[in-house]
Amino acid sequence: MFNFPGTLYAITPDQADTQRLVGQVRAALEAGVRLVQYRDKISTMADKLTRGRTLNQLCQAFDAQLIINDDVVLTIAIGAAGVHLGGDDGSIRDARRLLPANSIIGASCYNNLNLARTALADGASYVAFGACFDSPTKPAALRVNLDQLQSFRDALGSHVAICGIGGITHRNLSEICGLVDAVALISELFGSPEAPHTPEQIKHRIQQLLAEPALL
């Protein structure tokens, strides 16, 4: 059974500046985040290898875990803790077969309980539902409402690790935290490519989030 190492799950933004990206992730780790997903839709594979190895070493230095978005091959190449797969990113069963036995495998299940059940049966460690709110990263994402999240929790049971993603901020965090085990955050932590948050802003935002009664 998988348990999230803390409630905050940081997902990296598309950031062309490697030094800035590493500084942002370091700030999140210094503030207490222990699960990071490397999501990169803009870099070449060579750059992803370099960035991934750097981020993996950084996470290990903080006793944190790095998850790779969408790419089992990259996960294996850098020795990351696991992979997160969307609906079109390959087979969870194949990923479980290819990765080391203790690897973390996450599955995007959008607003579909049947997808979650299938993912778990195929070997997923956790399932992610969302977008929970309007998402600046994926404005066209399928939405899951709070009543659905409650029904999914009831159907899957308390032993299943559930992550909420999409549009989650410190303003709406209290609405969702009783329904999921972790919240995945991108722009809330790191800002946008046009207006990236500084390390100081990232640390401040994490402190704000961790001060929420729902996370205590």
Side-chain angles (χ1 to χ4, degrees), residues 146-162:
L146 300 183
D147 289 339
Q148 285 176 306
L149 279 177
Q150 182 65 67
S151 69
F152 296 167
R153 166 59 79 194
D154 294 341
L156 295 174
S158 60
H159 64 287
V160 171
I162 297 176

Side-chain angles (χ1 to χ4, degrees), residues 6-170:
T7 311
L8 301 183
Y9 184 1
I11 301 182
T12 63
D14 285 330
Q15 173 55 259
D17 186 329
T18 297
Q19 185 174 355
R20 173 172 281 165
L21 176 67
V22 172
Q24 288 179 312
V25 172
R26 178 182 290 277
L29 293 168
E30 288 176 346
V33 168
R34 288 299 173 263
L35 189 64
V36 176
Q37 183 183 133
Y38 175 40
R39 179 182 183 273
D40 187 340
K41 303 297 185 182
I42 60 173
S43 299
T44 65
M45 178 53 76
D47 285 342
K48 287 180 181 180
L49 278 167
T50 300
R51 287 171 156 218
R53 288 183 176 126
T54 299
L55 293 177
N56 198 40
Q57 291 172 356
L58 182 60
C59 285
Q60 289 175 346
F62 282 87
D63 196 26
Q65 294 168 306
L66 182 71
I67 305 298
I68 303 300
N69 179 264
D70 293 354
D71 196 327
V72 173
V73 173
L74 182 60
T75 303
I76 294 170
I78 68 172
V83 67
H84 183 95
L85 298 175
D88 300 318
D89 298 324
S91 162
I92 290 170
R93 189 172 295 175
D94 287 346
R96 181 56 72 197
R97 178 175 55 84
L98 292 167
L99 292 169
N102 62 344
S103 296
I104 302 165
I105 299 177
S108 293
C109 300
Y110 313 105
N111 58 4
N112 192 317
L113 178 60
N114 288 332
L115 276 180
R117 285 177 165 149
T118 300
L120 292 165
D122 286 346
S125 308
Y126 70 86
V127 292
F129 293 111
C132 298
F133 305 97
D134 290 334
S135 170
T137 304
K138 290 188 175 183
L142 293 171
R143 284 288 300 271
V144 59
N145 63 48
L146 300 183
D147 289 339
Q148 285 176 306
L149 279 177
Q150 182 65 67
S151 69
F152 296 167
R153 166 59 79 194
D154 294 341
L156 295 174
S158 60
H159 64 287
V160 171
I162 297 176
C163 174
I165 188 170
I168 300 169
T169 72
H170 67 285

